[in-house]
Amino acid sequence: MNVVLISTYELGHQPFGLASPAAWLRAAGAGVTSLDLAVQPLDPAAVAAAGLVAIYLPMHTATRLAVDVIRQVRAISPGAELCCYGLYAPMNEPLLRRLGVATILGGEFESGLVALYRRLISATTDDRRPTIDDRSRVISSHPSSLAHRPSSEGQPEPRVSLERQTFLPPDRAGLPGLAAYAHVELADGATRTAGYTEASRGCKHLCRHCPIVPVYGGRFRVVQREVVLEDIRRQVAAGARHITFGDPDFFNGPGHAIPLVRALHAEHPELTYDVTIKVEHLLRHADLLPALRDTGCLFVTSAVESVDDATLERFDKRHTRADFARAAGLLRAAGLALNPTFVSFTPWTTRQGYLELLQTIWQLGLVEHVAPIQYAIRLLIPAGSRLLELAEVRELVRPFDEAALCYPWAHPDPRVDQLHQEVLRAVRARRPRAEAFAAVWRLTEDALGAPVQDRARYVESARRATRKPIPTMSEPWYC
């Protein structure tokens, strides 16, 4: 049986979420075609020849794009089994079912895809019951997660599985080459071809705004070290000179992460990489930061989210504004660049508070570190969000919008929503980071209705700032 795996968007990376299950399905005997619609068109002939079409939904943008793709697939091949898998699949099950998706797989999805493939093969040959790959061991889920809740459609595969899997090296055959994806831009103008891998999935933490939490419920799963290293070897052979580790938090398991990057550096001493680590872990494991630097880490992405302590408490981020400043200082002392990300507009953002965010970024010397889009990120409340545990959020949101795949909300102060729209228009213009910062500052000043004290000290110095040696990705979108 032919299987088509489809990704609609994965942050400018060659999709791990296609390459990993492709290896498992090919090992099970499937003929697999991988299509990344972010950089190539849908192949009607491949879809028409497939008995199973599985669409990867790792994030909100990918899921919204997938809705139209599902309709196209149904039109091309009405008889094909349609599956959606990945983080956002179980979170949006009602909509996906109505669109004709028969199987929903979340969490550790590879073994579920193999089980589905075998079930479909069995249905075409005899009455044998499908088997789950014996390389995996199912364990109980966190009680707050979606794992192992029965499907209303009666699919035998778990909607969300948190089983521990023994992975296979991802099979990237048939995917566009690495040159088609985002690359690293260095301060001297040089670029590096970037690859992408994952050393772990899920997260130990329960941040209320995070879409990982409804699925993994405070658990994380590691990809075996040799599998990760083999995946990177193959990408280096394909031209990669930098690797992005897509783990939600690289320091969820430092005992796994640090030996991995040390082995990586020993084997590929010229290779660079970047990781994502939460502020709390940067402080707790500050002694490990030199190990990142010494093994080739160029920068660390950290979801700071806000400089308002009350908002951080609502998010259950387990760090404060002061912690953010300490983490920035620790990374600078270690010789690592910080790539902070923010949820700049929330129901609790005030115009003055937004100005304080800009002031903090300037005071910490991070103007060149912040991708302009981060000034315009607005809080997204998806299905299953822990934010809905808060009465103030439940009172604020409108009914779930299936077109937008979120609970809509409007700011109590319309002037803040207006500022957001103005900032969003400003950051969409391609301009140097310091100039984008200055433009956003002026919009904030206009929103406040009066010049801000020390305007020249903040804005003009940011405008004149020379580019610091901060490496960045050519596609900085975060969500």
Side-chain angles (χ1 to χ4, degrees), residues 111-122:
S111 59
L113 281 167
V114 171
L116 170 59
Y117 168 74
R118 290 176 173 169
R119 171 163 62 87
L120 297 176
I121 289 291
S122 295

Side-chain angles (χ1 to χ4, degrees), residues 339-357:
N339 174 39
T341 64
F342 301 95
V343 181
S344 303
F345 286 89
T346 75
W348 311 285
T349 301
T350 65
R351 292 170 296 157
Q352 182 62 39
Y354 188 75
L355 176 65
E356 290 175 9
L357 169 65

Side-chain angles (χ1 to χ4, degrees), residues 374-417:
Q374 293 301 323
Y375 300 122
I377 298 295
R378 190 174 189 270
L379 177 65
L380 183 74
I381 306 178
S385 173
R386 279 195 66 222
L387 281 170
L388 296 169
E389 296 173 358
L390 303 178
E392 62 180 316
V393 173
R394 295 195 301 272
E395 293 169 1
L396 175 73
V397 300
R398 298 193 294 272
F400 188 76
D401 183 342
E402 283 195 336
L405 297 180
C406 66
Y407 289 91
W409 60 271
H411 198 283
D413 181 353
R415 295 171 296 181
V416 176
D417 280 341

Side-chain angles (χ1 to χ4, degrees), residues 43 66 73 83 163 217 223 265 276 282 303 317 394 397 439:
D43 184 346
V73 169
C83 168
E163 59 189 20
V223 181
H265 185 66
T276 297
L282 291 172
K317 283 297 296 182
R394 295 195 301 272
V397 300

Side-chain angles (χ1 to χ4, degrees), residues 6 31 120 124 154 293:
I6 296 175
L120 297 176
T124 64
R293 175 200 62 212

Side-chain angles (χ1 to χ4, degrees), residues 434-463:
E435 291 186 15
F437 177 85
V440 171
W441 182 289
R442 287 196 173 86
L443 288 171
T444 308
E445 188 176 73
D446 291 344
L448 288 168
V452 176
Q453 184 179 9
D454 294 331
R455 169 184 177 181
R457 185 165 67 94
Y458 286 108
V459 179
E460 297 308 320
S461 61
R463 177 183 292 280

Side-chain angles (χ1 to χ4, degrees), residues 90 106-107 139-150 158-163 214-217 219:
I139 65 169
S140 61
S141 66
H142 187 284
S144 69
S145 77
L146 297 170
H148 301 287
R149 296 184 188 174
R159 291 172 60 256
V160 176
S161 172
L162 298 184
E163 59 189 20
V215 174
Y216 279 88
R219 295 184 182 274

Side-chain angles (χ1 to χ4, degrees), residues 2-8 15-26 30-37 40-43 46-47 50 52-57 69 73 81-85 105 109-110 113-114 116-117 171-176:
N2 292 329
V3 178
V4 172
L5 301 176
I6 296 175
S7 172
T8 59
F16 184 92
L18 298 192
S20 180
W24 287 59
L25 287 163
R26 286 175 178 138
V32 180
T33 299
S34 296
L35 298 175
D36 183 2
L37 304 189
Q40 63 186 148
L42 184 68
D43 184 346
V47 171
L52 169 61
V53 178
I55 303 174
Y56 180 47
L57 307 180
V69 174
V73 169
E81 178 87 1
L82 191 56
C83 168
C84 285
Y85 66 100
L105 300 173
F109 48 74
E110 285 88 351
L113 281 167
V114 171
L116 170 59
Y117 168 74
D171 188 341
R172 300 172 184 274
L175 284 169

